[in-house]
Amino acid sequence: MSVAENLKTIRERVDAACERAGRRPEEVTLIAVSKTKPLSMLQEAYGVGARDFGENKVQEILEKYPEMPEDARFHMIGHLQTNKVKQVVGKAVLIHSVDSLHLAEKIEQEAAKRDLTVDILLEVNVAREESKFGLMLEEVIPLLEEVKNLPHVRVRGLMTIAPNVENPEENRKHFKKLYQLYVDIKSKNIDNDTMSVLSMGMTGDFEVAVEEGATMIRVGTGIFGSRQIGEKKE
């Protein structure tokens, strides 16, 4: 199937998941995870309405950003090293993977130099997998209390990468936990003006994530086709 056909199918599945959950489809932003994919495939997706693209590596954003139309939005969804922050600030519309005060402070420094406000998500390792980056659930609010004092950094919400499982229902409990934390933060009025994004769900489990409150889903293989050997399935 073509990228256009795949996108149509994914959108239909998102719509159906929203209907099951009593949600409106416009509440969910579909991020086309274009990491390792050639520019031509991004352009094909753009041609049928995709505007949000997810990349794991700063270098790929730097290469693709100037070649895409101005209204294409790039999301940094991979682990971000502090020495790469200055390259991505001003190019990524949202950094999904902040998991330390040190990284947030580095983003603050670079944003202040350019008089920008950078939108970020706090990455949460809900399943407590040793192989993954991210905060433990209990670490999120303490970090948020510190990051909210950085004038050029705006926490828009939370992100998680759930375990790679055969049955997507196995990840429902993780999505429920993150949604509950998200609601708790909003109820405590911590950064309440901007806490509006819940980035969770990938090709294998995005429908469950939508049913559990995701406002952004990250779909790569489902749109662009099979990944390369050794590449994680988004």
Side-chain angles (χ1 to χ4, degrees):
M1 291 176 72
S2 68
V3 168
E5 290 170 323
N6 288 341
L7 260 171
K8 182 174 182 288
T9 298
I10 295 292
R11 285 173 177 145
E12 287 170 351
R13 289 170 62 188
V14 170
D15 290 353
C18 285
E19 188 170 348
R20 289 193 296 274
R23 302 181 64 196
R24 292 176 294 116
E26 53 267 32
E27 293 174 22
V28 181
T29 298
L30 172 59
I31 298 172
V33 177
S34 46
K35 63 180 187 181
T36 77
K37 302 303 178 187
L39 187 64
S40 60
M41 294 184 85
L42 278 73
Q43 290 167 334
E44 185 180 349
Y46 180 92
V48 289
R51 292 296 179 269
D52 292 273
F53 299 89
E55 294 290 345
N56 262 36
K57 294 193 167 110
V58 171
Q59 187 58 37
E60 286 205 64
I61 293 179
L62 297 180
E63 289 169 3
K64 294 170 181 175
Y65 177 86
E67 301 297 325
M68 290 292 286
E70 282 189 10
D71 62 340
R73 296 178 289 269
F74 281 89
H75 296 248
M76 180 62 196
I77 61 173
H79 179 65
L80 179 59
Q81 297 171 303
T82 53
N83 65 346
K84 298 286 180 69
V85 167
K86 63 184 174 185
Q87 295 174 287
V88 79
V89 164
K91 292 186 173 62
V93 68
L94 185 62
I95 299 172
H96 289 233
S97 48
V98 176
D99 61 359
S100 71
L101 181 60
H102 180 57
L103 178 55
E105 287 174 336
K106 185 66 176 176
I107 295 169
E108 166 68 25
Q109 289 169 15
E110 293 298 332
K113 286 178 191 174
R114 305 174 206 201
D115 196 26
L116 296 172
T117 299
V118 175
D119 288 337
I120 68 168
L121 304 180
L122 298 184
E123 181 174 356
V124 189
N125 186 350
V126 181
R128 307 179 91 89
E129 292 182 278
E130 288 184 12
S131 61
K132 294 226 178 103
F133 293 103
L135 301 155
M136 298 298 112
L137 284 162
E138 64 273 14
E139 295 173 331
V140 174
I141 289 178
L143 179 59
L144 182 57
E145 292 281 11
E146 295 190 86
V147 174
K148 74 176 186 180
N149 297 316
L150 303 177
H152 298 89
V153 173
R154 182 166 52 191
V155 180
R156 295 293 313 280
L158 308 174
M159 181 271 253
T160 197
I161 300 172
N164 190 9
V165 294
E166 288 297 319
N167 180 4
E169 282 297 328
E170 292 177 33
N171 281 337
R172 190 178 293 275
K173 61 181 180 289
H174 303 307
F175 298 144
K176 280 181 181 291
K177 283 181 184 176
L178 194 65
Y179 180 77
Q180 188 56 58
L181 177 61
Y182 171 77
V183 170
D184 288 348
I185 289 169
K186 287 166 77 77
S187 71
K188 288 181 169 70
N189 291 322
I190 307 169
D191 220 28
N192 199 36
D193 290 342
T194 58
M195 181 68 62
S196 60
V197 176
L198 201 51
S199 172
M200 59 187 193
M202 301 191 297
T203 292
D205 56 18
F206 70 86
E207 287 152 307
V208 173
V210 168
E211 290 168 3
E212 295 301 332
T215 69
M216 283 186 178
I217 57 172
R218 310 178 305 272
V219 179
T221 305
I223 295 171
F224 296 109
S226 297
R227 65 199 189 282
Q228 296 172 0
I229 293 172
E231 183 187 329
K232 181 166 171 53
K233 183 178 181 181
E234 292 280 352

